[in-house]
Structure formats: structure tokens, C-alpha cells
Amino acid sequence: MRHLFILDPLEHLLPDGDSSIAFLREAWRRGHTVATCQIGDLGQRGGDPFAHAAITTAGGEGRWFDTAEAQTEELNAFDAIWMRKDPPFDSAYLFATLMMSRADGPVMVNDPRALRDNNEKLFALEFPDLCPTTLVSRSIKQLLQFRDEQGGEVIVKPLDGAGGDGVFHVTKGDRNARAILETGTAHGTRLLMAQQYVPEVRDGDKRILLIGGEPKGALLRIPAEHETRANLHVGGRAALAELTAREREICARLGPVLREKGILLAGIDVLGDYLTEINITSPTGFREIEQLGGGALERDLLDVVEASGS
């Protein structure tokens, strides 16, 4: 197979930490041809989308990659296209998915229509009975009232955030509460998501990786003592985790929907008994699971991609 990976600059990726490198290396290890490009290297001539991409090798010592001179090829010349550009989901990302949608041959990880239509925060609300009580609003008055209705504390986060950016624990006794909401909503011009506070966050939130709609591994992310957020890059600690009966129920509900939408890879976040996010743009956690002895899940993903392309 011929794979195209749409990535952030290769030199900015961490060889031992970035899930995209694990996918790229596994494809290369299997003897597949791997090409890489950035989101700005996509274009379209008439009705045909193309990429200015470089054949990339991913083995050897020293620098983890080597690239040949970039060439321009139609997207339909590839058997699989991996959109692994990290958020934010901005206009450049949107236009890239529109051009990707013009390619009708390759396996997509993930389907560009799904990437456009399913915001990672709002997607979870398609399953409201699985989620914490939630309000999405740009009204500071409504958000403060919602906080009070939820016992005086909520978690707020921007709809386009990632990696814990812009996440706050807002409590009734916090004199900064209104200021936080003014900043988060850009003075009432930007939507915020507010969710009931789930105390089990102190025990960690769980990232569950679903491949082809099936759960394949889970990572518990435990926040530092001084932090509300459990994200690893802000000091969270990682541990391997098994799935509870409730988490298997959540995965069983999501699996058919993910498959129907062409989402081969999703990283869902579960806090206590609640689904909080469905991450489909550039889910991570593979490297941490492998480093903790949970296996190389990229092999499962490549198996699914190969089967989808056969």
C-alpha cells in the first residue's frame, strides 16, 4: 500500500512520544510506501486534489526519518491517507478536509466528512445519557446559573480546545469565576461547554482507544495534586487500565456509530461513569500504552487499514 501522512513538521515530532510516528513506522516496517506532507502542501487542480509530498523512511539510527525530494501527486494515487495534523481545527484544517473529500479511492484515517461534522466536544453529546449534565452557551449569566444548579462547581472548556487548554474548574466561591467566563467566552462572543464536576477526576480520567469501533487499550491519566486537568503534558501521571462494565457499555454504544461514520481511530475520554469527549482528529495514547507494557496497538490499527484497503 501507499500511505500519505498529513502531519505537523517532522522535525517537531517526538520520536519516542508521538503516536503518528508509531503509525508511520509500522507502515514502513510492513514494507508499505510512506509519504509525508504538511497541511499547507495540499491543493486542488480542477476537480483533482493533490499533495506535494516526500517519500519518507522511518528506520535507522540518529534522526528518526529521512525524506526524498517532494513530488506532486494526486490524492487518489495513495491507498491510505492519514490526517494527523494536531488541532486546532481552523480554516486551513477545514479546507484540507474539503479537498480530501474529493479523493474517492484511499482509505481515510479518519473520514474527512466525519472530521468536519463531529466536533470532539459536541460529538459526545450525541449520547447525552452517557455524558455529565452539560450546557453549551456563550451567556455568562446562563453559565453562572448552571454552575449554581450543579451544586456550585462546574468544569468549563472551549469547544475548539485540545490538550487541556482553556479548561477551568469554576466554583461558586471563586471571585475569579466571572472573569474566567468573560475570558472563555471572549465577553459573550464564543461558546463554552460547561459540565457538572465529577469528583472521580482526582482518581484520573481514562483514555480508551477504539480501532475499527472496538476498544483495544486504555490509559488512566491521573492529575497532579495541584492540577484539575489530567492531561499528561501538564503533569498528569499515566497508568495502564482495564475497562469497567460501564466503559464497555459506552464502547458498545459508540462502536457502530464510529464505523458508520468511517472513523477508524477514536480516543474517547471517560471520567467516572461518564463519557466526556470523543477525540477523532489526532488521538494519542499509543506510545504511553506501549511504554507501560500494554502492547503496540499501532499494529491493530494497521491491520484495520490494510483490511479496509483490500
Side-chain angles (χ1 to χ4, degrees):
M1 295 180 71
R2 303 186 76 239
H3 297 253
L4 173 65
F5 286 81
I6 305 168
L7 302 153
D8 290 301
L10 293 176
E11 59 272 17
H12 294 174
L13 303 183
L14 300 175
D16 297 324
D18 197 289
S19 296
S20 297
I21 296 177
F23 306 153
L24 192 154
R25 279 177 166 163
E26 180 63 17
W28 184 81
R29 186 187 67 80
R30 295 186 182 205
H32 297 201
T33 299
V34 172
T36 58
C37 72
Q38 297 179 44
I39 202 167
D41 295 316
L42 299 180
Q44 187 167 317
R45 184 180 180 91
D48 300 320
F50 62 81
H52 193 64
I55 299 299
T56 303
T57 56
E61 301 296 330
R63 194 170 76 158
W64 70 267
F65 69 92
D66 193 22
T67 56
E69 184 177 354
Q71 304 289 331
T72 299
E73 294 192 71
E74 291 186 4
L75 295 189
N76 276 328
F78 296 96
D79 301 299
I81 297 177
W82 303 66
M83 173 52 101
R84 293 293 300 177
K85 170 71 176 68
D86 281 343
F89 190 113
D90 54 14
S91 60
Y93 196 107
L94 170 64
F95 295 141
T97 66
L98 289 168
M99 288 185 285
M100 289 169 62
S101 292
R102 299 290 302 176
D104 55 10
V107 177
M108 297 287 186
V109 188
N110 285 309
D111 189 290
R113 297 167 186 83
L115 294 175
R116 282 198 303 275
D117 294 346
N118 298 281
N119 171 270
E120 296 181 329
K121 308 295 191 295
L122 295 176
F123 190 6
L125 295 182
E126 291 189 20
F127 310 88
D129 59 308
L130 301 180
C131 298
T133 305
T134 302
L135 172 70
V136 178
S137 176
R138 67 184 66 190
S139 166
I140 294 171
K141 179 180 178 180
Q142 290 177 3
L143 291 163
L144 288 171
Q145 182 179 350
F146 180 75
R147 175 203 62 185
D148 296 344
E149 292 170 354
Q150 301 307 311
E153 54 184 337
V154 291
I155 296 295
V156 299
K157 49 191 172 183
L159 296 182
D160 58 352
D165 288 345
V167 176
F168 288 94
H169 181 196
V170 179
T171 62
K172 190 167 186 177
D174 187 351
R175 292 174 178 163
N176 291 311
R178 181 175 289 273
I180 290 170
L181 297 179
E182 287 173 351
T183 301
T185 65
H187 294 277
T189 63
R190 186 170 59 196
L191 289 168
L192 272 185
M193 173 177 280
Q195 293 184 319
Q196 71 180 93
Y197 178 72
V198 181
E200 288 87 345
V201 68
R202 302 313 311 166
D203 300 321
D205 80 341
K206 195 173 291 186
R207 164 59 57 88
I208 304 172
L209 295 172
L210 288 91
I211 297 172
E214 299 292 335
K216 294 295 184 180
L219 190 73
L220 189 66
R221 300 174 299 187
I222 304 165
E225 183 61 32
H226 62 281
E227 264 284 356
T228 293
R229 302 168 297 175
N231 305 79
L232 300 182
H233 77 282
V234 295
R237 177 170 56 87
L240 286 180
E242 299 293 330
L243 298 189
T244 66
R246 170 64 169 173
E247 290 159 352
R248 292 192 179 279
E249 174 191 345
I250 291 172
C251 292
R253 286 277 301 280
L254 268 55
V257 176
L258 297 175
R259 287 189 288 269
E260 180 182 358
K261 291 178 178 287
I263 299 171
L264 298 185
L265 171 59
I268 69 170
D269 294 338
V270 177
L271 184 56
D273 287 335
Y274 297 108
L275 171 70
T276 59
E277 293 187 18
I278 305 175
N279 297 278
I280 62 172
T281 52
S282 187
T284 62
F286 284 77
R287 306 308 290 276
E288 292 83 1
I289 287 174
E290 183 173 6
Q291 289 161 7
L292 290 167
L297 300 185
E298 63 269 19
R299 297 172 185 170
D300 296 296
L301 181 54
L302 262 293
D303 288 345
V304 169
V305 172
E306 288 178 341
S308 300
S310 60

